[in-house]
Amino acid sequence: MTEIYPSIAQCAVVATALKVLLLPAYKSTDFEVHRNWLAITHSLPPWQWYYEKTSEWTLDYPPFFAYFEWTMAQVAKLVDPAMLRLYNLGYDSWQTIYFQRATVIFTELILVYALQLYVDSAHGLSKRTAQAAAISILLSPGLLIIDHIHFQYNGAMYGILIASLVLARHRSGLLPSGLLFAALLCIKHIYLYLAPAYFVWLLRTYCLSPKSIFRIQFANCVKLGVGLLVVFGAAFGPFIYWGQIPQILSRLFPFSRGLCHAYWAPNVWAMYSFMDRVLIIVAPKLGLSLKPEALQSGTRGLIGDTAFAVLPEITQGICTLLAVIFSFAPLVKLFQKPTWEGFIGGVTLSAYAFFLFSWHVHEKAILLIIIPFSLIALKDKRYLSAFRPLAVAGHVSLFPLLFTPAEFPIKVVYTILWLVLFLLTFDRLAPLSNRPRFFLFDRLTIIYIAVSIPLMVYCSLLHPVIFGKRYEFLPLMFISSYSAIGVVGSWIGLLSVYVTS
């Protein structure tokens, strides 16, 4: 078959060249977080890893990621041993910076490999659309902002996720797919957002007979059960032996943190918090009572306990209940009609439900929705209509992560170029649906995207000129609330398409 250009490898080479140029770019506290984890895993025995608290950036990822940090530390000691000293807080020699940046670029090869697997698994005309989707992920502004400037290792982890999703495309790959996802959970626990869809998919396609849901395939159940025990045992077994599981869980799930993380992630609680801020202003006119202790609470976007001045308080139980309820309908649909594309849709909608309604959601978790959705965004025009507002809102919501002037043109120009290139390409490649589209939704999406430009101009340029250092949280509030509208609208669009397909 004729090669489709540009290839994944060619795009990876160009992308790597850009990322190398960004080695000296702004680095967030996450850079120090990972340097500290290198020091912890190198300097201490494993049974002390999850108790060490010299730095405020304690180890709070599952054991497989800790093992990954330990492996990198074996190379880091050859580059600059000072970065591995436990009390060398905030250390950032140029060797340390270049080493850590280079590890992000190198480990992203997992993503390149997984995307190539995804393209190779497609056939015929769908191969071209798969190539477009794969390149859009590889060149994602989200990965560029979060991994290569802000600093994290999401590219490698999303590579593992995509490889798992691709393996699930064929019956022979169901067991490896499930075990690979289990390993991913042992690397970063936020992928639990996707676990309900994986559970339903493996139950329906691997543990139950394709001919009848009342026939259990016991051999497959045993293989899956043993495989999961091996994976989780390899990760957590030593810590179970040392009696440290409660300590690890307290690190992985710090429920003492408030409802909203940092500035508000673009979810339902951002809209709820924005409404509370508005009600504070109009409360005297409407005769509504205010809770004085809540006026300076975490609803301003700070990490900590969140309290609302007018609206009812939200508890962890409410968040969990809502997330489960809104993930239920697509999971029922997946159980009834277990196709591979339905599985990707179920994974995406599960991510939506937990991102939109969970407690203390990180804004960076928006990639949990964008990346799997990208794999089916070109299924037809209806899916693409739901993807557009997410592509805009999700990436705009990440802009506040980079607040230094030097990175402003990078994040804005690169994101705009990506949106223009891929949304136009997707519009050309996505086939028409045999079902009617909701054209009002398309029109509203155009208006929504148009609003993003003056919003960015105001938040990034005009607000500092007009107010100086006053009302610093207003731009964050506007961006979060604006982005939340787009994410919620996209979720409603995909949910309506998915359950009616």
Side-chain angles (χ1 to χ4, degrees):
M1 183 176 176
T2 304
E3 185 72 22
I4 303 173
Y5 293 99
S7 68
I8 299 294
Q10 289 168 336
C11 291
V13 170
V14 174
T16 300
L18 172 61
K19 292 161 187 175
V20 169
L21 293 176
L22 293 174
L23 290 180
Y26 158 81
K27 57 187 186 302
S28 72
T29 53
D30 277 349
F31 183 89
E32 168 61 15
V33 168
H34 289 280
R35 187 215 59 80
N36 186 55
W37 292 359
L38 285 172
I40 290 173
T41 55
H42 178 264
S43 305
L44 300 174
W47 54 85
Q48 295 182 21
W49 288 352
Y50 288 95
Y51 286 92
E52 210 290 323
K53 54 182 181 180
T54 301
S55 167
E56 62 180 309
W57 311 118
T58 54
L59 180 60
D60 59 4
Y61 274 23
F64 275 175
F65 196 89
Y67 302 156
F68 166 70
E69 293 278 5
W70 178 88
T71 302
M72 289 196 300
Q74 308 315 303
V75 181
K77 66 184 179 182
L78 304 176
V79 177
D80 184 358
M83 78 172 82
L84 302 177
R85 293 171 188 162
L86 203 56
Y87 296 94
N88 217 357
L89 304 183
Y91 185 76
D92 62 349
S93 67
W94 68 266
Q95 295 98 328
T96 302
I97 293 172
Y98 284 18
F99 171 77
Q100 288 196 232
R101 294 286 196 197
T103 59
V104 176
I105 295 173
F106 178 76
T107 56
E108 202 173 55
L109 288 174
I110 298 173
L111 176 64
V112 176
Y113 175 73
L115 290 173
Q116 188 62 59
L117 282 182
Y118 167 64
V119 173
D120 292 342
S121 70
H123 302 285
L125 293 176
S126 65
K127 199 173 189 72
R128 184 173 294 276
T129 61
Q131 181 101 339
I135 293 174
S136 77
I137 294 173
L138 180 63
L139 302 180
S140 165
L143 289 175
L144 185 77
I145 291 171
I146 297 174
D147 281 12
H148 300 281
I149 303 179
H150 189 269
F151 196 86
Q152 281 194 358
Y153 291 91
N154 290 286
M157 289 183 276
Y158 282 110
I160 296 172
L161 174 64
I162 291 172
S164 172
L165 295 174
V166 172
L167 285 170
R169 200 164 198 164
H170 303 287
R171 187 162 184 81
S172 60
L174 289 174
L175 178 60
S177 170
L179 299 183
L180 194 58
F181 180 71
L184 183 59
L185 291 178
C186 296
I187 296 173
K188 191 171 183 178
H189 52 299
I190 198 168
Y191 291 93
L192 282 169
Y193 286 6
L194 315 181
Y198 266 89
F199 173 80
V200 171
W201 172 254
L202 291 172
L203 173 66
R204 182 65 182 86
T205 60
Y206 190 72
C207 295
L208 301 179
S209 170
K211 298 179 180 179
S212 172
I213 62 172
F214 300 105
R215 291 175 56 187
I216 301 174
Q217 302 190 95
F218 288 102
N220 287 353
C221 292
V222 171
K223 286 187 284 187
L224 180 59
V226 171
L228 292 176
L229 284 175
V230 170
V231 172
F232 286 109
F236 292 95
F239 300 95
I240 294 174
Y241 175 77
W242 297 318
Q244 295 184 1
I245 295 303
Q247 175 65 16
I248 292 178
L249 293 178
S250 70
R251 288 282 182 90
L252 300 185
F253 303 100
F255 289 117
S256 59
R257 295 178 181 176
L259 174 68
C260 300
H261 171 263
Y263 85 92
W264 309 332
N267 61 9
V268 168
W269 307 127
M271 300 167 71
Y272 190 83
S273 299
F274 179 80
M275 189 181 303
D276 189 70
R277 295 290 101 180
V278 172
L279 289 174
I280 289 174
I281 299 172
V282 302
K285 298 179 181 179
L286 299 178
L288 300 175
S289 60
L290 295 173
K291 291 174 277 187
E293 68 278 7
L295 294 178
Q296 301 299 321
S297 77
T299 53
R300 296 177 302 150
L302 305 175
I303 297 177
D305 293 333
T306 303
F308 297 100
V310 180
L311 296 176
E313 297 296 335
I314 302 299
T315 65
Q316 298 165 17
I318 291 173
C319 292
T320 303
L321 179 63
L322 289 174
V324 171
I325 289 173
F326 285 107
S327 65
F328 187 74
L331 295 181
V332 171
K333 178 74 175 184
L334 176 61
F335 187 84
Q336 294 173 338
K337 191 178 179 181
T339 64
W340 183 78
E341 289 181 335
F343 170 50
I344 304 301
V347 166
T348 304
L349 286 166
S350 182
Y352 264 117
F354 284 90
F355 179 86
L356 289 174
F357 296 100
S358 289
W359 180 270
H360 197 74
V361 175
H362 289 232
E363 61 277 5
K364 297 182 283 291
I366 191 66
L367 293 183
L368 281 170
I369 305 172
I370 294 175
I371 288 181
F373 198 167
S374 299
L375 302 181
I376 56 170
L378 290 166
K379 182 178 180 181
D380 61 46
K381 296 288 187 183
R382 295 186 307 152
Y383 281 82
L384 180 57
S385 292
F387 181 75
R388 282 196 198 98
L390 172 70
V392 175
H395 292 114
V396 167
S397 73
L398 298 174
F399 281 6
L401 291 174
L402 306 181
F403 49 82
T404 53
E407 279 68 41
F408 175 78
I410 297 174
K411 68 182 182 184
V412 173
V413 173
Y414 186 88
T415 301
I416 290 175
L417 288 175
W418 184 92
L419 288 170
V420 171
L421 175 62
F422 285 103
L423 290 184
L424 289 177
T425 302
F426 282 14
D427 191 61
R428 183 170 57 85
L429 292 176
L432 292 172
S433 171
N434 56 6
R435 294 176 179 268
R437 292 164 62 191
F438 186 33
F439 284 95
L440 178 59
F441 184 80
D442 291 344
R443 301 300 181 268
L444 292 174
T445 297
I446 293 172
I447 296 172
Y448 177 81
I449 294 174
V451 170
S452 66
I453 298 173
L455 179 69
M456 287 301 100
V457 171
Y458 171 78
C459 292
S460 301
L461 300 176
L462 297 182
H463 182 85
V465 173
I466 297 171
F467 296 104
K469 293 189 174 296
R470 293 180 298 158
Y471 311 115
E472 286 184 309
F473 183 61
L474 272 180
L476 299 178
M477 182 175 68
F478 290 152
I479 291 174
S480 296
S481 302
Y482 165 83
S483 300
I485 293 171
V487 175
V488 170
S490 172
W491 169 59
I492 293 172
L494 178 61
L495 185 62
S496 63
V497 171
Y498 184 82
V499 299
T500 58
S501 296

